[in-house]
Amino acid sequence: MADQHFPQWMIRACCQKMQKPPRNIEEFLKFQNWDYWPREIHFGNSDEWLHTVKKIKEDSSFTSIYTHLWGTVPRIHEAVMAMESRLGECSVLLKSHASKIFEWKSITFDRGSKGNLERYKTFLRKYHRRKKIMLSDEMETKKTVEGFTFSGFKTNELTQLPRHLDAEQIYLFILKAHNFDEKVFKIWKTHFLSEASIALLHDSFWWWFLHKFKPDRENQDSLFDRISESYVILFMNIPASRKDAFLQVYPDCLSQAIYATFQEAFPESSNLFNDEFKEELGNNIFLWLSGFVEEILLKPLEAVYIL
């Protein structure tokens, strides 16, 4: 029996039966060798450890962190420099403006002689400028209608007006030129600046451009179809109580907006936009929108300037 070998599972089972489980927390900790925790850590070189702790304390101080950030983190001064530069420019402009005010004061308060009156007129001519519908620096470049081409009809996109002219601004200038009552102006403004009305100005302008200067039947037909659709949408969105009054105003304003666009877009060709051009344009728009031709007088270009 001494040489008899027992399976390993029997040996483990026997050992487990002989080992008593811990009866309390102290015995459990001792059994797991956790009776003293945390155990003391011994360093081989205590001087080196003390030096390391001291260095950590020094490096984590406010002064040390501030000094490190100041010396290593890049500081961006572009914003401050740009602000200082802009302030300098504004200072120069302010001084220039102030000098003009004082010049104005010296002239207006002493106009007793003919010479001073002439100086006053010269001053007004020098500093008085008319603001136009123009919204882009490119507007200062002279253009002719003969040198311009239509980029082509796009089904889902309006063709932009020449030289970055803005349809909303043009409509607003036309409405202001009519001197509508404030309440009426707000009502008409909503309809004139609607998506359908903006589309009408864009497409009508280009249709007339092609009709008069660069005939293109295919593009004209496509533009005319969308003009019809836009007008139906505009008409349906106007309350019944306003329809009659609106139809009396809209054809005239649309005609003037188209005419103003031609004048602003092609200043070198203004001689082509004569009375015959205006009359034909106005009659055509009235025929489209009202079904009959009405004799109208388009206001001159000065009507769309702000003084």
Side-chain angles (χ1 to χ4, degrees):
M1 295 294 292
D3 296 333
Q4 186 176 2
H5 296 282
F6 295 95
Q8 290 294 325
W9 65 270
M10 293 182 65
I11 297 174
R12 286 197 299 270
C14 181
C15 292
Q16 289 176 358
K17 289 181 180 179
M18 294 176 61
Q19 188 176 14
K20 294 181 179 180
R23 292 172 295 181
N24 50 47
I25 186 64
E26 288 79 9
E27 290 184 1
F28 174 78
L29 293 175
K30 187 175 182 180
F31 179 76
Q32 297 291 337
N33 198 24
W34 291 347
D35 54 323
Y36 182 76
W37 187 90
R39 296 186 179 277
E40 185 177 356
I41 301 175
H42 297 280
F43 294 95
N45 190 340
S46 59
D47 293 337
E48 183 179 352
W49 167 248
L50 292 175
H51 175 74
T52 302
V53 172
K54 183 180 179 181
K55 190 71 169 60
I56 292 174
K57 290 181 179 180
E58 291 176 353
D59 291 342
S60 60
S61 66
F62 174 80
T63 303
S64 178
I65 294 174
Y66 181 84
T67 303
H68 176 75
L69 293 176
W70 181 265
T72 57
V73 176
R75 295 178 296 280
I76 301 175
H77 299 288
E78 284 78 2
V80 177
M81 294 174 64
M83 178 64 73
E84 291 178 350
S85 176
R86 181 58 182 155
L87 287 174
E89 294 175 2
C90 291
S91 177
V92 173
L93 292 174
L94 180 60
K95 290 179 181 178
S96 175
H97 184 66
S99 65
K100 294 175 184 178
I101 293 177
F102 291 130
E103 182 181 351
W104 173 279
K105 182 178 179 181
S106 64
I107 294 175
T108 55
F109 279 86
D110 185 17
R111 290 181 291 174
S113 65
K114 183 178 180 180
N116 285 335
L117 183 59
E118 291 301 323
R119 287 177 56 209
Y120 177 69
K121 291 180 179 179
T122 303
F123 178 83
L124 290 179
R125 285 194 297 269
K126 180 179 179 181
Y127 294 113
H128 178 67
R129 293 182 179 179
R130 295 185 300 179
K131 295 181 180 178
K132 303 181 181 180
I133 301 174
M134 302 176 181
L135 299 178
S136 170
D137 292 339
E138 296 182 20
M139 297 296 291
E140 299 300 329
T141 305
K142 293 183 178 180
K143 297 286 186 178
T144 61
V145 69
E146 295 87 350
F148 211 88
T149 57
F150 179 59
S151 61
F153 178 82
K154 302 177 184 64
T155 304
N156 299 318
E157 181 183 350
L158 295 176
T159 303
Q160 294 303 308
L161 297 175
R163 305 175 70 191
H164 303 282
L165 285 170
D166 183 73
E168 290 189 5
Q169 290 291 336
I170 295 173
Y171 269 137
L172 288 174
F173 280 117
I174 298 299
L175 287 173
K176 290 177 181 178
H178 278 264
N179 294 320
F180 289 118
D181 178 79
E182 183 178 356
K183 183 178 180 180
V184 175
F185 177 84
K186 289 182 179 179
I187 295 174
W188 285 166
K189 177 182 175 182
T190 303
H191 300 311
F192 272 85
L193 301 187
S194 66
E195 184 177 348
S197 180
I198 296 297
L200 274 170
L201 176 52
H202 278 254
D203 290 340
S204 298
F205 169 84
W206 286 116
W207 189 95
W208 194 250
F209 172 84
L210 295 174
H211 172 70
K212 294 294 292 183
F213 305 106
K214 305 288 178 69
D216 184 333
R217 178 52 54 189
E218 182 179 355
N219 277 319
Q220 285 178 253
D221 289 344
S222 298
L223 287 167
F224 187 81
D225 289 341
R226 190 160 64 189
I227 289 171
S228 302
E229 294 174 2
S230 298
Y231 184 63
V232 170
I233 294 172
L234 177 65
F235 183 81
M236 296 301 294
N237 287 333
I238 299 173
S241 59
R242 300 177 189 167
K243 275 186 169 62
D244 290 340
F246 182 78
L247 290 178
Q248 293 178 6
V249 174
Y250 190 74
D252 183 31
C253 290
L254 178 59
S255 301
Q256 293 186 38
I258 296 171
Y259 179 72
T261 304
F262 272 101
Q263 287 281 17
E264 291 293 330
F266 311 116
E268 286 191 339
S269 300
S270 58
N271 61 303
L272 300 176
F273 314 137
N274 50 26
D275 291 340
E276 181 181 351
F277 179 91
K278 290 188 288 186
E279 182 179 358
E280 187 180 354
L281 170 61
N283 288 337
N284 191 78
I285 296 300
F286 265 92
L287 182 62
W288 281 357
L289 305 187
S290 304
F292 62 90
V293 176
E294 179 175 322
E295 185 176 351
I296 63 171
L297 178 62
L298 292 181
K299 295 184 179 181
L301 183 61
E302 284 74 15
V304 295
Y305 283 97
I306 297 179
L307 298 180

